[in-house]
Amino acid sequence: MSDIHRHEEPSSMFTTDQFRPTSPSYFHLIPTCLDLFMEHIYPIMPLVHMPTLRASINRPLEMYEQNLLYSLCALTSTHMSGKNILAPGPPSWEAAGRFFLDECISVRQRYDFVEDKSLSAVISSYLIHTAFFELNQNRKCWYYLREALTLGQDLMLHDENSYAGLAPAEALCRRRTFWILYVTERSFAILRHKPLTLSKTPEFPTTLHDYELPEIHDGFMRLVNSYHLLDSSFVDSWNEASSAPASTTTYTALQRQLNRPQPSDISITDIQKADILVTQQWLRLIVWQSSMRQGLLSSTAEDESMTFRYPLKIAHSLLDVISSLPTTSIEVHGMGIFEKIFEIGNTMLDVMQACGTSLPNASYGVTQDPFEVFVKTLSQTPNSQRQYANLLLAKAAEKPEFQRLTQTLTPTLSSLAQDAMLPLPAIDFIGYPSSQGSGSGSSGLMAPVQRQWRGSIVGEIGEDGRYKVSEDAEEQQALWADNAIWIPETVASGSDDDGMVGGEDGVWIGKVE
């Protein structure tokens, strides 16, 4: 896999050198974050009982409740990075995400978090892990995932006996939390060559919360089952932790299972579909790469999945997936899904270089160019454009035989200002950065069109970074007052730089004019 995330990590335990809890408060975004989480993220992370969480913001919160709430807001905000933040206060969703991350870390310092044996502690650590993944802070990301795994094991989430006597809603949240940790650990083990810790598993969840539609459960279980195909022996082989050779039969059987079409008789949301189908194609690539490492590939293999050109078929399958889905159903997943798309596109270029530069579109019944679609998809957010789209373009631009791929993108995508570009490292075969420095390619991308996301309160942040009050500001101000929420006394009292004030009892009051 391409190791494209390494960079110097912040030395502070917080996300910036500034102690963010002393900065202007963005707690007024909490109701908006809950709405956005429920709409865009809950379908793929249905871990919390939303009615209970929503009710909690109308009363004083315990420390462990603040911990969960702030981590959820941090995750939601970082997933919205690159979208217009139609609310006063933070200049961007990423700034809001960093604020809530730092608040969460600060809360953990104010009580004995290590002794917090609640499910909220496990979920919070998992959400922090995902938020740091979005911010490309990999050491922190790995630390909090391991923390979530450890806390989950301490709660015996892996032991079926631990679910006896629990209320149905509590048991369901616990089962889903275990299986999301199971899926994430396997994904991370493959992406970052990390060891597995989860082996024993409880039964799959089989029920729904009373406020959920059936597709929530169906989509969640389809994703779990995809990763369940790759057992610990496969991951150990992938990470070279085991010397036991695998057979061609094992890998062809895996490919056949991963290549099965998703059942059409069960309805799932587009957000879930994007996660499941992109992951399905990425796992096909992982199995192929493992086959190559084992020396099992051949130009004359009877099974196409055992040939060197198989990633071209995977790329066209991914093209079909992307073309069938709304743009927003992909981008709300954040950097994880973009990395999978990048890996497939990156390997496609490697195979084209090794086996010939033509893309046999006619063989797969398509007329679109996968490279063009991948680059445009990877340009949907500033972070994904910088980390993935520009890398893919730079790699193609370095090779004369691939320059035709970038020429079709030039009229619409290559006018990005040079000061917005980062150095573009050369990429060697199968995606590892070259030691020879950056390539010569200079193709860039236009900054993606900013989409307005629901959640406007009294104005918006313009392109110049300044907050502009809307004409109906007074009416919207009243809505703020209706949605007042509890925040800790230590950060609520007094007035902040942006005019937010809290009452002496810690309840947020409003905005000073």
Side-chain angles (χ1 to χ4, degrees), residues 36-343:
L36 290 171
F37 176 84
M38 186 64 189
E39 182 178 354
H40 299 292
I41 303 175
Y42 186 86
I44 56 172
M45 297 182 188
L47 309 181
V48 297
H49 189 255
M50 288 303 295
T52 300
L53 188 62
R54 286 186 184 278
S56 70
I57 68 174
N58 297 316
R59 58 171 172 76
L61 295 172
E62 300 291 341
M63 290 292 189
Y64 75 91
E65 293 175 315
Q66 294 176 32
N67 178 35
L68 175 61
L69 184 62
Y70 299 162
S71 65
L72 184 143
C73 291
L75 168 67
T76 303
S77 298
T78 54
H79 268 252
M80 294 297 108
S81 180
K83 313 299 181 298
N84 280 346
I85 181 164
L86 304 181
S92 67
W93 275 116
E94 181 174 323
R98 292 179 181 275
F99 167 80
F100 282 114
L101 271 173
D102 289 345
E103 284 296 334
C104 187
I105 294 169
S106 178
V107 165
R108 288 172 169 220
Q109 293 180 322
R110 300 204 298 270
Y111 81 112
D112 194 353
F113 172 75
V114 176
E115 292 298 327
D116 185 346
K117 297 182 179 180
S118 68
L119 181 63
S120 296
V122 183
I123 297 174
S124 171
S125 294
Y126 173 75
L127 297 180
I128 294 174
H129 144 78
T130 309
F132 275 121
F133 187 91
E134 292 300 307
L135 295 175
N136 197 28
Q137 294 189 17
N138 293 289
R139 288 181 63 84
K140 289 183 174 67
C141 174
W142 172 237
Y143 173 87
Y144 284 104
L145 176 59
R146 290 304 297 262
E147 182 177 79
L149 291 166
T150 300
L151 294 173
Q153 288 173 316
D154 189 55
L155 286 184
M156 304 296 287
L157 298 184
H158 57 282
D159 188 347
E160 182 61 32
N161 294 327
S162 70
Y163 296 87
L166 294 177
E170 173 74 8
L172 179 56
C173 288
R174 286 177 175 244
R175 288 188 191 277
R176 286 178 175 175
T177 299
F178 172 86
W179 286 108
I180 201 73
L181 290 174
Y182 177 93
V183 164
T184 305
E185 184 183 40
R186 271 162 171 68
S187 178
F188 217 77
I190 294 170
L191 282 170
R192 303 290 184 269
H193 296 280
K194 300 297 186 182
L196 295 177
T197 61
L198 298 179
S199 54
K200 185 178 180 181
T201 62
E203 295 178 3
F204 290 133
T206 58
T207 57
L208 287 167
H209 293 303
D210 54 11
Y211 61 90
E212 293 177 341
L213 296 175
E215 50 260 38
I216 294 294
H217 172 76
D218 294 335
F220 183 79
M221 290 312 305
R222 287 195 199 182
L223 182 64
V224 169
N225 285 324
S226 295
Y227 280 94
H228 209 43
L229 293 174
L230 306 186
D231 58 19
S232 57
S233 62
F234 175 88
V235 178
D236 287 343
S237 175
W238 172 264
N239 287 332
E240 300 178 353
S242 171
S243 58
S247 67
T248 300
T249 303
T250 300
Y251 283 118
T252 54
L254 269 176
Q255 291 286 13
R256 289 192 188 103
Q257 288 177 294
L258 288 170
N259 200 27
R260 289 176 181 171
Q262 295 293 325
S264 58
D265 58 332
I266 301 177
S267 175
I268 59 176
T269 68
D270 286 335
I271 292 174
Q272 292 174 312
K273 193 178 297 182
D275 194 16
I276 295 164
L277 296 181
V278 172
T279 296
Q280 180 184 28
Q281 306 312 316
W282 176 69
L283 290 175
R284 291 171 67 190
L285 177 69
I286 295 303
V287 175
W288 177 86
Q289 288 184 339
S290 188
S291 302
M292 182 180 65
R293 290 180 177 184
Q294 298 281 343
L296 301 176
L297 301 182
S298 168
S299 299
T300 58
E302 293 183 6
D303 193 298
E304 187 178 12
S305 67
M306 291 291 109
T307 66
F308 293 107
R309 297 177 65 87
Y310 190 58
L312 299 183
K313 181 172 183 178
I314 296 173
H316 281 84
S317 297
L318 178 61
L319 171 65
D320 291 338
V321 169
I322 293 174
S323 301
S324 69
L325 293 168
T327 300
T328 53
S329 68
I330 295 176
E331 64 182 80
V332 297
H333 291 278
M335 298 302 284
I337 201 168
F338 290 127
E339 182 166 356
K340 293 170 183 175
I341 294 171
F342 170 83
E343 290 292 349

Side-chain angles (χ1 to χ4, degrees), residues 29 32 36 86-87 453-457:
L29 291 177
T32 299
L36 290 171
L86 304 181
W453 287 73
R454 184 173 52 78
S456 175
I457 298 182

